[in-house]
Amino acid sequence: IPARKNSKRIPNKNIKNFCGKPIIFWPIKTLIETKLFDKIIVSTDSEKIAKISSNYGATIPFIRPKNISNDSSSTNDVICHAINFYKKKNINVDYVCCVYPTSVFVEKKDIKYGFNLLKKKNYNYVFSSYKFNNLNRSFKKNKSKGVSMFFPKNYNKNTQKLDDCLIDAAQFYWGLSKAWLNKIKIFNSNSFPINFESLKAQDIDDKDDWIKAELMFKYNNKI
């Protein structure tokens, strides 16, 4: 679970109260309940996040270095750092699942299903996605005036005849350790997307997203 401090749009996002608990509590709880993992690691540059995560059952083997805790650091950098940390201790890791601290909709059955697919089919990655049909007819506002379609060839096509578009649901990313270390891109020919319902997928990037996510979470969990 990569959880750095200093979120700009939502202060303290990774430990902000979400439906009665710090938001990071929810994915930690779900991952513990799967009983799949040798370790549930929170990679953070914050002592406060580390303490809260530890209280909920996560492992904090290190405080993440500053050079991979800035805006330009990638998730892959963080995962590789954790894998290499254990390699230096002669502990080899075969499979790694990246789950974000705001992944409140991730469920045990999906994590287990993803892991089984990764093992049986030998994919590089298995990750969460959801269907977003209208992307084929999406457009952008031009800087001067008017709009431009991203896919102009679809202008006259019936939406029922267009291919389904899949969007990254950002709930979890199962991957082979060697795939992470070799920096193989997640969206590749040897990856498999598990489709989520749209009510289980919500990015939380601003205050409006947060409000929507809480409403969806309460609805899904009958709170």
Side-chain angles (χ1 to χ4, degrees):
I1 302 177
R4 71 183 181 100
K5 60 184 177 182
N6 295 334
S7 174
K8 291 179 172 58
R9 284 177 288 187
I10 303 177
N12 298 311
K13 179 172 82 169
N14 294 327
I15 51 174
K16 181 178 169 67
N17 187 296
F18 184 94
C19 293
K21 296 284 187 181
I23 195 166
I24 200 169
F25 162 82
W26 299 107
I28 291 174
K29 175 179 178 289
T30 299
L31 295 177
I32 290 173
E33 288 174 349
T34 66
K35 299 181 180 178
L36 280 180
F37 299 95
D38 296 311
K39 293 184 185 296
I40 298 168
I41 298 163
V42 171
S43 174
T44 183
D45 56 336
S46 163
E47 294 284 355
K48 186 174 183 180
I49 293 175
K51 184 177 180 180
I52 289 171
S53 301
S54 179
N55 287 342
Y56 289 129
T59 298
I60 316 294
F62 49 75
I63 293 297
R64 195 199 303 178
K66 290 182 179 179
N67 66 313
I68 55 168
S69 299
N70 52 54
D71 290 341
S72 62
S73 303
S74 70
T75 297
N76 188 273
D77 293 334
V78 177
I79 299 298
C80 288
H81 170 262
I83 295 171
N84 287 322
F85 175 87
Y86 281 102
K87 283 186 74 172
K88 289 176 183 177
K89 295 180 177 292
N90 295 316
I91 299 172
N92 291 314
V93 179
D94 296 316
Y95 308 101
V96 178
C97 186
C98 174
V99 177
Y100 290 121
T102 54
S103 296
V104 295
F105 300 107
V106 71
E107 295 184 5
K108 289 187 296 183
K109 63 180 179 63
D110 297 318
I111 293 287
K112 289 181 176 181
Y113 179 54
F115 181 52
N116 287 332
L117 276 177
L118 189 72
K119 287 196 302 179
K120 290 179 181 178
K121 301 294 185 179
N122 201 34
Y123 291 117
N124 287 323
Y125 300 98
V126 174
F127 63 98
S128 58
S129 65
Y130 68 99
K131 190 163 65 172
F132 192 76
N133 289 335
N134 294 332
L135 194 62
N136 274 303
R137 292 177 58 81
S138 59
F139 56 88
K140 64 180 178 179
K141 185 178 179 181
N142 294 330
K143 289 183 179 179
S144 55
K145 64 177 182 178
V147 298
S148 299
M149 289 188 70
F150 285 103
F151 309 103
K153 64 180 182 180
N154 294 330
Y155 184 82
N156 290 315
K157 287 185 179 179
N158 189 310
T159 54
Q160 294 176 338
K161 295 182 179 180
L162 294 171
D163 291 333
D164 288 338
C165 291
L166 298 180
I167 302 291
D168 178 13
Q171 295 299 311
F172 65 84
Y173 307 86
W174 270 113
L176 300 176
S177 180
K178 61 184 180 182
W180 291 108
L181 290 173
N182 289 324
K183 299 187 183 299
I184 295 173
K185 292 181 179 179
I186 292 175
F187 306 144
N188 73 77
S189 59
N190 196 38
S191 293
F192 186 85
I194 296 177
N195 241 3
F196 273 35
E197 299 171 9
S198 58
L199 279 176
K200 289 170 57 180
Q202 172 64 44
D203 285 337
I204 304 179
D205 294 325
D206 56 34
K207 291 180 180 179
D208 285 346
D209 290 342
W210 191 280
I211 292 169
K212 285 170 62 179
E214 282 200 305
L215 290 171
M216 289 164 61
F217 187 83
K218 288 175 181 178
Y219 175 80
N220 289 338
N221 292 279
K222 297 179 174 58
I223 297 176

